[in-house]
Amino acid sequence: MNYELIKFNSRGAAVAQLQALLNSKLAIGLLVDGHFGRKTEAAVVVFQSQSGLIADGIVGRMTWTALLSSRAASESLNPQKQLAAIAATYIGTKETGNNRAGEDAKLLEIFKADDLVINGKTDGYPWCASFVSLCVQKLCIRSSYFSSLNAPREPSVWRFLAVWAKNNGCTIFSSSSAILSPKPGDIVVFTFSHIGIVESVSGNKVVTIEGNTNSAVSR
C-alpha cells in the first residue's frame, strides 16, 4: 500500500478512507467527507493513544499500519465493514442532471456496474442500486471472505433485495428487529425505493452513504 502522509487540512480519497477506518474502529460517527478537519485530527489522536503510538494527529506509515491491522483483526466479526470504506471513495460524485453521467469517470463506472442499457446508453436512470452493486463488486475482489459471492449487477432496488439478496443467502432484517441491528458495511433498503450502505452507527442514529441523493439528503 502507498502510505500517504496526511494531516490537518489534507483532502482527498485517502482522507475519506482514513475517516471510514476511524469510524469502524472508534464508532464515533465521523463525517466521511474527505477533509481532514479538527474532528478528524482529534479522532486520529484518540486512535494513536489507544494504539501506543505518538499522538500527534499526523497519519503516516505507523498509523496507517495500525488502522489496517485493526481492520484485518476485526474482519472475521464484521467482514462487510470494508464496504463502507469502498463507498466513501465515491462521496462527492455528481451527475449532470436527469441521472446522466456526462464525463464523470466515477459515475460512468457506477452505471456500468449493472446490466441495464436504455436506447444504447448505460445512464439516464436512478443509480442508487447500481452504486451499491459496484461497491459490493469491489468488496468481493478485495475480501477473501466474499470472493465466492455472486456479486450483484442490479439497477433496481427491488431486485437487489428480493432477488439478489435472497438468492445469495443474505441476512435480511427489519428496523424493528429485537435481535439484529445495523453495523458498518451493512446495506440498508429504504421503504421509498432507495438503497445505501451503513457508514457508522451511534445509538439510534445510522449514517449511510448513498448514490443518487443530494446535499440536502433527499433523493
Side-chain angles (χ1 to χ4, degrees):
M1 172 180 174
N2 179 21
Y3 294 94
E4 182 178 342
L5 179 69
I6 54 177
K7 57 185 179 179
F8 178 70
N9 250 352
S10 294
R11 295 176 182 271
V15 177
Q17 182 185 20
L18 167 69
Q19 292 166 326
L21 287 168
L22 289 169
N23 280 333
S24 68
K25 179 62 178 176
L26 303 176
I28 53 175
L30 196 64
L31 178 63
V32 181
D33 59 1
H35 176 218
F36 200 127
R38 291 301 182 191
K39 290 184 179 180
T40 299
E41 184 180 50
V44 169
V45 169
V46 170
F47 176 80
Q48 290 171 327
S49 298
Q50 292 180 354
S51 302
L53 302 171
I54 296 174
D56 57 5
I58 299 173
V59 181
R61 178 181 292 272
M62 294 183 67
T63 301
W64 277 120
T65 299
L67 281 163
L68 294 169
S69 296
S70 65
R71 179 183 69 178
S74 64
E75 186 172 311
S76 61
L77 297 177
N78 185 14
Q80 72 271 32
K81 189 183 296 184
Q82 291 185 56
L83 193 61
I86 293 170
T89 65
Y90 289 87
I91 291 175
T93 302
K94 295 181 179 180
E95 62 180 53
T96 61
N98 297 319
N99 298 308
R100 295 294 183 183
E103 299 300 322
D104 190 292
K106 285 190 173 181
L107 198 54
L108 286 169
E109 184 184 18
I110 291 169
F111 277 116
K112 291 178 180 178
D114 62 59
D115 295 321
L116 181 60
V117 177
I118 301 176
N119 296 325
K121 296 184 178 295
T122 59
D123 63 354
Y125 50 88
W127 46 278
C128 57
S130 303
F131 167 65
V132 175
S133 290
L134 174 63
C135 292
V136 177
Q137 290 166 22
K138 293 196 169 189
L139 177 68
C140 292
I141 294 171
R142 297 183 186 184
S143 172
S144 58
Y145 189 94
F146 294 105
S147 59
S148 62
L149 185 68
N150 180 25
R153 296 188 59 83
E154 298 294 348
S156 160
V157 175
W158 179 85
R159 280 190 53 86
F160 196 105
L161 175 63
V163 179
W164 181 83
K166 289 186 176 180
N167 288 345
N168 284 275
C170 296
T171 299
I172 300 172
F173 61 95
S174 71
S175 58
S176 61
S177 174
I179 301 173
L180 299 173
S181 58
K183 299 184 296 298
D186 280 352
I187 295 170
V188 56
V189 177
F190 299 94
T191 55
F192 49 90
S193 190
H194 192 48
I195 191 169
I197 295 167
V198 176
E199 189 271 328
S200 64
V201 180
S202 179
N204 291 327
K205 182 180 179 181
V206 178
V207 178
T208 62
I209 302 172
E210 306 155 23
N212 199 39
T213 188
N214 61 27
S215 56
V217 198
S218 63
R219 296 196 44 238

